[in-house]
Amino acid sequence: MGKMYEDKYSANYLSRTRENVFEIGTDFKFANNRIGFSYNYFNEMEIDRNRSIDPTSGFVVAPIYNGNLRERGSEFIVNATPVIARGFKYDATLLWMNSKTTIENGYSTQGSYGISNPTPSWTSSILNQVTWKNIAFSFLIDARKGGTFYSLNGWSGSYPNYVNVDGTQIKLRDLSIGYQFPKSLLKHIGIRQAFVSSSVRNLLLLYSKSGKDVEEYFSRAQKSTSLNLNLLF
């Protein structure tokens, strides 16, 4: 039987988990592979699952789920190359996914402030890639709909006040630019290929229903910059 802890849980309350997975999908391509789409459905069951939520997620008392944890959902991907002309190429990839998690033949315990559900109703992203001669440019925009988080909103004496935060948001996830050095230049120095690129991640929050980046609850919202050099000898 599960038991509730504020910071951690003991291995004495854990049991071995078994997993059953069912997945089916299809894939189509048209117009000389310039247009394509794929669909995938999945249904996963974790049997005899004991699950604790990480206290760093903002919970005062972490719940433990006891029973069978089922996750089911679908994924839809569209690929297209709408433009190819005079050294210019534009590729776009759209992804949409939804999933739902339920507890079957079991129950969940919860703390004094209830349980939030951070799982969004759906997530989506669009990757845009442009190449012109030796220059490559890309940017990724992603979105999530729904999901709730508990956020600390002050104190009443020694008791914390929590508010429910909607996880809906749109974000410019990644922006990158790169340059492929001409082979005519590299052959004199014994290098077959050379590509240099720079990228920025978590660049900009375009929209948030709560007014803040909900990924801060998972410490994944830090902006980062990278510089890469790939050489082939």
Side-chain angles (χ1 to χ4, degrees):
M1 180 177 292
K3 188 174 180 180
M4 197 160 51
Y5 293 85
E6 291 193 359
D7 297 316
K8 59 184 179 180
Y9 56 94
S10 169
N12 296 332
Y13 295 94
L14 301 181
S15 61
R16 184 179 298 275
T17 298
R18 293 171 291 146
E19 186 174 88
N20 293 332
V21 178
F22 172 79
E23 188 171 335
I24 188 171
T26 186
D27 183 80
F28 295 94
K29 291 185 180 298
F30 307 94
N32 295 323
N33 295 329
R34 290 183 60 177
I35 300 175
F37 71 88
S38 62
Y39 174 81
N40 185 59
Y41 171 81
F42 60 90
N43 190 332
E44 302 178 2
M45 170 77 82
E46 293 188 38
I47 303 172
D48 298 329
R49 174 70 183 266
N50 294 271
R51 181 184 185 189
S52 172
I53 293 181
D54 190 339
T56 60
S57 63
F59 292 98
V60 174
V61 181
I64 294 179
Y65 299 150
N66 299 266
N68 302 334
L69 193 68
R70 181 185 296 276
E71 181 178 9
R72 68 186 75 184
S74 56
E75 181 183 74
F76 185 72
I77 301 175
V78 178
N79 305 99
T81 305
V83 181
I84 301 179
R86 298 182 180 181
F88 180 89
K89 183 181 179 183
Y90 169 54
D91 295 295
T93 302
L94 173 67
L95 181 146
W96 182 90
M97 184 177 70
N98 77 317
S99 65
K100 183 178 181 180
T101 302
T102 57
I103 301 171
E104 300 180 0
N105 301 324
Y107 63 92
S108 66
T109 61
Q110 67 180 45
S112 304
Y113 305 100
I115 298 178
S116 66
N117 180 14
T119 304
S121 301
W122 54 262
T123 60
S124 181
S125 64
I126 180 168
L127 174 63
N128 299 273
Q129 298 172 293
V130 176
T131 56
W132 180 68
K133 296 184 178 180
N134 292 1
I135 300 174
F137 173 76
S138 68
F139 64 95
L140 173 67
I141 296 176
D142 61 24
R144 54 173 291 148
K145 169 64 176 177
T148 56
F149 300 82
Y150 277 103
S151 176
L152 181 62
N153 187 35
W155 294 77
S156 296
S158 59
Y159 297 96
N161 295 324
Y162 284 85
V163 294
N164 208 21
V165 175
D166 192 309
T168 301
Q169 68 177 35
I170 303 173
K171 193 170 188 178
L172 178 55
R173 173 71 61 187
D174 187 88
L175 179 70
S176 66
I177 187 169
Y179 180 76
Q180 181 82 44
F181 288 92
K183 292 184 178 180
S184 58
L185 177 64
L186 299 175
K187 67 180 181 180
H188 301 293
I189 54 177
I191 298 176
R192 294 171 57 190
Q193 291 184 12
F195 183 78
V196 61
S197 64
S198 179
S199 63
V200 182
R201 187 163 179 81
N202 291 317
L203 181 61
L204 183 64
L205 185 64
L206 301 176
Y207 169 79
S208 173
K209 192 169 184 179
S210 67
K212 67 179 299 183
D213 192 342
V214 296
E215 293 183 0
E216 293 179 2
Y217 295 103
F218 302 101
S219 300
R220 293 201 303 253
Q222 293 87 353
K223 182 179 178 181
S224 61
T225 304
S226 64
L227 180 64
N228 305 288
L229 176 62
N230 298 318
L231 301 176
L232 179 61
F233 293 93

